[in-house]
Structure formats: C-alpha cells, structure tokens
Amino acid sequence: MVPTSFCSLQSSNVSSTPSISPLSISSLASSSSSSSCSSLYLRPSSLFSTRLRSSYVFGDLHLKRSPEFKGLKVKCAAGEPLKVMISGAPASGKGTQCELIVQKFGLVHISTGDILRAEISAGTEIGNKAKEFMNSGQLVPDEIVTAMVTTRLSGEDATEKGWLLDGFPRTLLQAESLQKLQIKPDIYLILDVPDEILIDRCVGRRLDPETGKIYHLKYFPPETEEIKGRLVTRPDDTEEKVKQRLEIYKRNAEAIAPVYLSITKKIDGSRPKEEIFEEISSLLSQIQKEKAKKLGKSTLGLKSTSTQDSWRGIPTRLNNIPHSREIRKYFYDDVLEGTKRAVKDGRTRLKVEINIPELNPEMDVYRIGTLMELIRTIALSFADDGKRVKVCIQGSMGEGALSGMPLQLAGTRKILEYMDWGEYGALGTFVKIGSIGAKEVDEQDDMFILVAPQNAVGNCIIDDMKAMTDAAGDRPVILVNPRLKDLPGSSGIMQTMGRDKRLEYAASFQICYFFRLLYYAGTQYPIMGALRMSHPYGYELYRRVDEPSGKERYVLLSKYPTRPSTDDINDAFQGKERNAEKKSSGIWGFLSGIF
C-alpha cells in the first residue's frame, strides 16, 4: 500500500549520490560464486579490433568458453545476415565460388590461410607460435587455428554483414569446437567433384613465380609465351601429392559430415562456374527470405515496456533473500547493457550504482559473492569484445597502525582469483587482477574496473584513483558501487585538505547504470518501489503493487531526464503535480513536464 505521509520516509546508504530522504534505499554490490558468464579468449592481433571469444594460452593450447554465455556471440545485425560454410577438395573451385558469393551477398570471406598469413605477417604472439609449427614442418594445431577463426568471426564486420567460412572446419575436432561455442552456419555447402577431374585440375596448374598468379595449361592458359616460359609446377601439384591430399580431405569430410548433416547441400562442382553459382545463389537467397519472414513473425504483437534494449521490466520478489539465480543474472545483464552502451558512446569515466538487498553493505543480507559475480560478468563480456580488462581491488592504505581497508573488501581479491572464470578460464589472459593506483596501469590494458572503491577511516582512496585515471588517459575506467564520501581521519578530524577537489573528482564520473529499491524510512520491507536508469536513457520511477494470491508487479509512475529529487519522488508516489517552484526551467523543464 502507498503511505499517506511520506515525510516519515528516509534514505539509507546513499553515499556519494544525492540523498532521497523520503525513501529507504538498498545498496549495491555484486555476485555469488556461480559462473554467470565466461567465454573464449585470444590475445587480439593488431589485425582485428573485434569481439573476441577465442583464446590461446601458450604451453596449454585450449579454447575458453563460458557456460552462461554459451559460446561465441557472433551477433547478427537486424535482418539476420547469412552465415555460410563452404567445403570442397583441392581444386574443387571453392575460391571462385567464394568470390562470387561475396560479390552478390556482401558476406565477409574468412579463410584460415589468409588469417594465418596475416597473423604471422603482423608478428602477433599467436602468429609467431603458428610459425614455429610451420617452420618445423608440423601442422598448426587445431586449437590455434580455431582460436584465430572464432576471433575473426566475432569481428564487427562479420557480425553485421554475415560471414562465409572457407574450408573450415577441416577436422572433427574443429567442428566440435565450433558446435560447443554455438557457432552454427545456416547452410553447409559441399562442392562435389569426381577425383579424376580434381587430379586433372591440380596437375595442370602452374605458378608464375614473379606475380604469384595461378594458371592452368588447359582451362586458364597464360596470356603470352614469355609468361608460359617462366611458369613452374608447385610442389603440391604432382599427381602423387594430389592423391594424398584428396585422401586426407575425404577422411576429414566423412568425420565432419554428421555434425552438419541437417544443413548440408551438395553441389555438383564439375559444371561451369556460372551454373554452380546459380544454384548456390538460389539456395542462399531462399535462406535470406526465410530469415526475413521469421524475423517479421517474431516481432508481431510484441510491445516493449520501455525504449531500452532487452528491457523486460523490474523483476518481482526482490524481497526474497537470497535472490534466485534468475534475478541475479537479470541485474547483471541489465548493468552490462547500460555499461556497454556508455563505453560504445565514448564515455571514459563511468559509474555503476546498483542497490538491491544483496548489494547493500548496510544490510545483513549483503553478499560479497554477488558483487564478485557482477564484476566477472562485466569483465568477461568486455574481454569477449577483445578488450584487455584490469579488475582493480582496493588494497590496504596507510602504514603500520594507520593502515586500513574497507571491511567489505577484505579478501575479495582472493575470491576473484579462486572464482570459476569459465570452463577453460580467462583469468591471466584477457582479464587480470590488480590494485587501485597509477602503478597498476599497464600499456596493454584497454580498460579498468574498480571494485567498490571507498574511503576508509583515516585514509582516502580518491588520490590513488585520480592518479590511476590520469595514467589511464582516454581508456575507460568503470567504478562499480563506489562510496567516496569523506570520512573522519584516525584523529577524528575530517580530511579537509583538498576536500573540495576530491569530491569534485568523485562527482566527475558519469552514471551509466543506477538501480535503487525504495522503502519506508527505517525499514527494509515492504519495498515501496524502485528508481532505475540505464545509459543513455533517463530515470524511471516505479511503484510496487500487491496483487491477489501474493503476487506483485512494478508500475511505471514517472520519467525524468535527470535524477529526480526527494520531492519529485514523494510527489509521484502521492500522485501530485510537480511543484511549480521546483520545476526545471527551459527545455529540461518542458521535458520533465511531458514525461
């Protein structure tokens, strides 16, 4: 029920944010130790500024995958672009068909040979490792190749335009790795050509050593006698070598076949290239139509409760502690969306403030594990985008008897180090743990997440934070549930030296996500409502409403372009018009009025 007098309400644990005196507010933190997300990580090459979901750890080749995110997130743009795999024996005509497919459908052509050459040429760690195997006459291990391919698949161009994966996977292990990562094509094309034609095509090929151009004595002869005179036969184009390669291809193709059986289309590759492409083009166009039709049906009759991405309304039963995994994950995803939008918009000094019972250090139900799980979710998601993330835990401050550390942060670094970072782990590759301070900023770090930085009695963390952000430059620094109000020193005297500057710096961080539960003053039940904001949208005020059979729901009361004041919230709960004397002036006043 709605209280008749709101002057008896108050706020608790508002820390560095404006107090909301009419309502008691539950604080922030983050998650339990269950694995909310993790993925696959690879040290990004200079070639790809992409969404990484692949990884390679030297000395132990493996792929890293998160149970929660269920593999590589190759996100599709609106309209669901095509995802195509094409396979064929040597000289089956894959290269020609790939060129034609790319020309017509605009897909990103992904070839393992191109990727390997690019990585080696760029001198990346993974390229150098692959080169070691190649120089010693060994095949590049499946783990390395798969890591490179999955990294490329998660690039922005591939996710937006769709992709054409040329000749990969080549082995059953590679195919199974892609399946585990939920990387599935719409269609698996196989160019089927008789052995005798393949052998004839290979044996007749010749290489121009000066231009690198490939000719065929029968099907694509050189333009001049001069060129013909310098052509050479490649070592792999002898009849014996070709037969060996065909045998290897057939064995691998037979092993892979069951993985893609339901989406496999065999194409007669012995025909002219125009006829082959006409059939392929027809198949891909039909898939495009089906995707568009499916997308249209899926959007019919759906109404969004907000203008925000994936916003599903506020979950109920937030007073039930501990929260269910579904509720925790809901908030992790909600925080992540707002944070990623802010970073994408170029914001570099960000702040997350989430106040649910499990994240309020002033409540008995506060769970440090929830805070850690939230941090892990954010860190892994940015790592999946190819970012090297430094997660910073506040260390003890001061020296000797004057050293101190906020109680809630005690032991959190060890908790993070021992947490499950996915089936294969990401810690130490794309995610590293550090402290707060300028010395923790390394050149290879792309962004920093500061876990609940807060002042301790007698010590101020803000100076270390400022030194760190100065060293970070234009790289994003994200504060999660900071508590940066000035505290008394060990002598009981407030830290007045430079206090204004410190508070000004603390207030310079932009809020990219805000959630706060609202209570009666002095209580933690019943929940009266909630205030929420997710970048770049404004603040939304909700009232909690009881329904029959013990059910409840949250009803939107009002929207605000900036954080509402205590009076704004009280007026909204009481159904009053906003006080004209306190209305904003100019355009913001107008927007407040129409919201």
Side-chain angles (χ1 to χ4, degrees):
M1 97 180 173
V2 180
T4 56
S5 174
F6 281 77
C7 60
S8 63
L9 302 175
Q10 69 178 20
S11 100
S12 68
N13 187 36
V14 294
S15 65
S16 62
T17 61
S19 62
I20 302 178
S21 60
L23 303 167
S24 177
I25 297 157
S26 100
S27 163
L28 54 93
S30 190
S31 98
S32 72
S33 60
S34 54
S35 171
S36 82
C37 78
S38 81
S39 291
L40 174 67
Y41 303 89
L42 192 167
R43 189 171 189 91
S45 72
S46 57
L47 185 65
F48 312 125
S49 59
T50 61
R51 269 185 196 75
L52 279 181
R53 276 189 204 269
S54 57
S55 172
Y56 171 76
V57 177
F58 299 120
D60 179 16
L61 299 176
H62 56 262
L63 299 176
K64 302 186 172 164
R65 178 173 62 83
S66 157
E68 201 68 35
F69 272 166
K70 298 180 180 178
L72 181 71
K73 286 185 177 174
V74 180
K75 301 176 183 175
C76 295
E80 277 290 308
L82 287 169
K83 294 171 284 186
V84 180
M85 287 182 180
I86 186 168
S87 177
S92 61
K94 279 196 297 87
T96 298
Q97 295 305 316
C98 284
E99 288 180 9
L100 296 172
I101 291 170
V102 169
Q103 287 174 14
K104 178 169 182 177
F105 294 93
L107 306 183
V108 174
H109 182 207
I110 299 174
S111 161
T112 54
D114 292 343
I115 295 174
L116 274 169
R117 285 188 290 272
E119 292 283 340
I120 292 171
S121 176
T124 65
E125 285 185 294
I126 199 166
N128 291 336
K129 195 66 180 178
K131 188 177 181 180
E132 290 177 18
F133 288 99
M134 296 168 69
N135 288 343
S136 62
Q138 303 178 59
L139 292 174
V140 179
D142 285 337
E143 292 87 348
I144 294 182
V145 180
T146 303
M148 289 180 177
V149 170
T150 51
T151 298
R152 187 65 187 92
L153 284 172
S154 60
E156 284 189 7
D157 55 348
T159 58
E160 292 174 3
K161 299 177 182 178
W163 43 263
L164 171 63
L165 196 48
D166 179 4
F168 188 91
R170 281 190 171 88
T171 67
L172 179 59
L173 178 59
Q174 292 172 351
E176 289 175 341
S177 296
L178 295 183
Q179 286 290 101
K180 289 178 181 179
L181 295 168
Q182 298 294 308
I183 301 175
K184 299 178 181 178
D186 300 311
I187 189 170
Y188 186 75
L189 299 172
I190 297 178
L191 295 180
D192 189 25
V193 182
D195 285 0
E196 59 269 22
I197 294 179
L198 293 172
I199 293 171
D200 181 57
R201 287 178 180 177
C202 287
V203 172
R205 287 193 300 202
R206 296 292 185 271
L207 169 69
D208 184 346
E210 291 189 11
T211 64
K213 191 173 182 179
I214 300 294
Y215 293 89
H216 193 282
L217 298 180
K218 183 192 298 186
Y219 305 113
F220 183 45
E223 296 89 346
T224 65
E225 287 296 319
E226 179 184 355
I227 295 175
K228 183 178 181 180
R230 65 177 183 245
L231 296 182
V232 297
T233 301
R234 296 188 305 180
D236 284 345
D237 285 343
T238 64
E239 185 171 345
E240 180 182 359
K241 289 288 183 68
V242 171
K243 288 181 177 179
Q244 290 176 357
R245 288 159 61 198
L246 284 177
E247 201 57 42
I248 294 172
Y249 168 77
K250 288 178 182 179
R251 285 201 303 268
N252 287 332
E254 184 178 351
I256 293 172
V259 178
Y260 301 111
L261 186 61
S262 62
I263 55 172
T264 295
K265 296 292 182 182
K266 278 194 176 184
I267 309 293
D268 181 1
S270 61
R271 300 171 294 169
K273 64 181 180 180
E274 294 81 6
E275 291 183 23
I276 298 171
F277 180 66
E278 185 178 354
E279 182 177 351
I280 291 175
S281 178
S282 176
L283 289 169
L284 298 187
S285 296
Q286 182 61 34
I287 292 173
Q288 278 188 327
K289 291 178 183 177
E290 291 172 358
K291 280 174 169 281
K293 186 177 179 181
K294 183 178 179 181
L295 182 65
K297 284 184 177 180
S298 68
T299 58
L300 289 177
L302 294 181
K303 292 183 179 180
S304 174
T305 58
S306 172
T307 57
Q308 303 174 26
D309 300 349
S310 305
W311 171 237
R312 303 182 300 281
I314 295 175
T316 57
R317 299 301 174 192
L318 295 179
N319 54 307
N320 289 351
I321 304 298
H323 291 322
S324 66
R325 168 174 289 279
E326 290 72 25
I327 286 178
R328 293 200 311 272
K329 186 178 186 304
Y330 171 89
F331 279 108
Y332 303 156
D333 292 343
D334 202 28
V335 171
L336 181 60
E337 285 186 7
T339 305
K340 297 196 81 168
R341 284 193 295 261
V343 171
K344 185 177 180 180
D345 287 346
R347 306 294 195 271
T348 59
R349 299 295 176 261
L350 298 170
K351 179 166 52 176
V352 170
E353 295 187 1
I354 173 172
N355 236 315
I356 56 177
E358 291 194 6
L359 296 178
N360 186 347
E362 295 183 3
M363 299 177 72
D364 292 339
V365 294
Y366 173 74
R367 301 178 74 200
I368 193 66
T370 305
L371 175 61
M372 297 299 101
E373 194 168 54
L374 172 62
I375 296 297
R376 177 177 59 189
T377 298
I378 297 172
L380 284 175
S381 182
F382 277 107
D384 291 340
D385 290 344
K387 305 293 185 184
R388 298 180 183 88
V389 184
K390 177 72 68 68
V391 177
C392 301
I393 308 294
Q394 187 170 335
S396 60
M397 301 177 291
E399 297 179 2
L402 299 179
S403 66
M405 182 184 197
L407 181 62
Q408 293 85 5
L409 296 179
T412 52
R413 178 162 183 153
K414 282 295 182 186
I415 292 174
L416 277 177
E417 290 172 351
Y418 288 140
M419 281 175 71
D420 177 11
W421 286 84
E423 184 176 343
Y424 300 98
L427 203 60
T429 54
F430 263 62
V431 179
K432 294 187 178 180
I433 310 299
S435 300
I436 296 177
K439 60 180 175 55
E440 292 291 331
V441 178
D442 296 322
E443 184 178 349
Q444 66 268 28
D445 295 329
D446 293 316
M447 60 187 305
F448 307 86
I449 300 175
L450 277 55
V451 182
Q454 54 191 283
N455 294 323
V457 173
N459 291 285
C460 182
I461 192 63
I462 294 178
D463 294 334
D464 289 333
M465 282 177 51
K466 188 173 188 312
M468 186 173 196
T469 52
D470 288 345
D474 59 359
R475 288 173 281 181
V477 178
I478 303 168
L479 313 183
V480 179
N481 284 350
R483 303 176 69 197
L484 301 176
K485 64 180 180 180
D486 255 11
L487 297 176
S490 54
S491 62
I493 301 173
M494 292 296 291
Q495 302 170 135
T496 56
M497 294 296 293
R499 182 171 185 269
D500 290 343
K501 288 287 187 183
R502 287 197 299 272
L503 295 181
E504 180 183 349
Y505 168 78
S508 67
F509 285 78
Q510 294 177 289
I511 293 179
C512 60
Y513 184 85
F514 180 94
F515 185 90
R516 178 166 290 171
L517 288 174
L518 310 173
Y519 301 90
Y520 275 115
T523 70
Q524 295 174 359
Y525 185 82
I527 298 172
M528 299 306 303
L531 183 64
R532 175 186 176 272
M533 179 275 242
S534 183
H535 178 88
Y537 309 103
Y539 287 79
E540 298 175 333
L541 179 64
Y542 291 84
R543 180 207 302 274
R544 176 181 165 274
V545 177
D546 289 315
E547 294 188 324
S549 304
K551 294 183 179 180
E552 63 181 6
R553 62 192 175 98
Y554 284 84
V555 179
L556 181 63
L557 287 182
S558 188
K559 294 185 178 182
Y560 309 87
T562 57
R563 187 182 303 190
S565 67
T566 295
D567 291 334
D568 288 333
I569 293 176
N570 279 332
D571 290 346
F573 268 84
Q574 296 181 80
K576 293 181 179 179
E577 289 285 334
R578 295 184 191 172
N579 191 324
E581 295 179 1
K582 295 177 180 177
K583 283 185 179 179
S584 301
S585 60
I587 184 63
W588 292 114
F590 171 72
L591 291 176
S592 297
I594 64 173
F595 284 158

